[in-house]
Amino acid sequence: MFISLRYRPNKWPFWALVAIEFPLTVALLALFGIAAPNLYRTKLWADGAANGFNSSPTTGLYAAANYRPYTTPKVWGQFITNFNLVISVFSMFLMLAKSAMYILKVFPPLLSVLCHAALVALYAVSIAYQAGSDMSDPRRPQRGAPWYISRPCSVAHDQKLVGYCQQAKGAFACTVMIFVVFTAQLALAIFSLFPSPSHRASREAKRLARESRWAHLDSPTLESKVPAVSLNEIANAAQASSTNYSTAASGALNPMTPRTLAFNRLGGTKDLPLRNHFGKAKAKDGGAAPKSPIFSSRFALRSPTFPGSPLSSGFAHAERKADEETAAGAAGPSGSDAAAAASAGMYFPPPPKVAVKGAR
């Protein structure tokens, strides 16, 4: 058993409820914003007292004058007006946020349960306060909802308050309707927490496919084919490799370094004018060609065209030819080679002129 991340049966019930929620949220935001902070609450309270429907706003004043305890009824208090405005703003923000999260597939049913449970609780408090009773005056008790909800607005003592009565009645009606919408969304989210049979079957098929993909790694036949290597053998191999490395580093040159590899890939010895100059050019006095200690035969890097492996074809012939060229170079160039080198001397550009201040 697992908690589903999909909405059942599909996405359309969610969007249908959001489409109903949007106009109700906008209407509540407008009605509660107009009513705040005290546009018609006290006026409707006084008009109901004039008709004998509820207590009077001056009841608290008389109670204070006579040193009697008094508590303003919840339906006529300032708290419910501010509370309604706050939850309407919160509902608008949450509706926009959950719509975007649902499109991005980051609003699972579990998160929907938490959000809509909070909204259901908030609007349940709002309905309880708006439809609260007023028993503060024993002579005019109000045992149910206030008169502007339980009676038609035409019974108002002051006919100028009919519009305010309709606004208060409409705000209460929208509150009840959005409470029903949030309850439906909460029920849908709870229903979606439990996966459907098709969802369970697809999840089980994916699990079996994933296990079968890696099942060959756990098979005993594969383990029998792999030779067992002990920790001592691994340690001895590591020690031997380190010893060989230290011996090669102290006694001889490393046959291949990253710099050598990059050098060979960039062209080797084909486009090095200074190396050719030291290796083939003849001295001016007719003596032997100058030899660079850096590019001697011992430290010279082989050209990329030279076969790199003794097992490759032509390795022995190339090795013999390289030895002959080295021996010929050590003995000195022939007359024709010296003449060619003298006629095709290397060109080195002159150094740049030093600018003198004031010279034109």
Side-chain angles (χ1 to χ4, degrees), residues 203-224:
R203 185 182 179 92
E204 184 67 16
K206 290 181 181 179
R207 185 185 65 83
L208 294 176
R210 184 170 57 253
E211 291 180 355
S212 62
R213 183 183 305 172
W214 304 105
H216 65 281
L217 298 179
D218 300 333
S219 61
T221 57
L222 181 64
E223 294 180 358
S224 60

Side-chain angles (χ1 to χ4, degrees), residues 27 92 157 271:
M92 176 61 73
H157 186 269
D271 52 352

Side-chain angles (χ1 to χ4, degrees), residues 243-306:
T243 304
N244 295 336
Y245 176 78
S246 60
T247 304
S250 59
L253 292 178
N254 193 358
M256 184 61 67
T257 62
R259 186 175 180 180
T260 305
L261 181 62
F263 176 78
N264 291 337
R265 288 186 177 179
L266 290 176
T269 59
K270 294 182 179 180
D271 52 352
L272 299 176
L274 293 180
R275 175 173 293 183
N276 295 332
H277 170 70
F278 282 105
K280 297 181 179 180
K282 184 179 179 182
K284 295 181 179 180
D285 54 356
K291 284 287 185 177
S292 173
I294 300 177
F295 301 107
S296 62
S297 59
R298 180 182 179 185
F299 298 97
L301 300 178
R302 295 180 176 180
S303 175
T305 58
F306 192 86

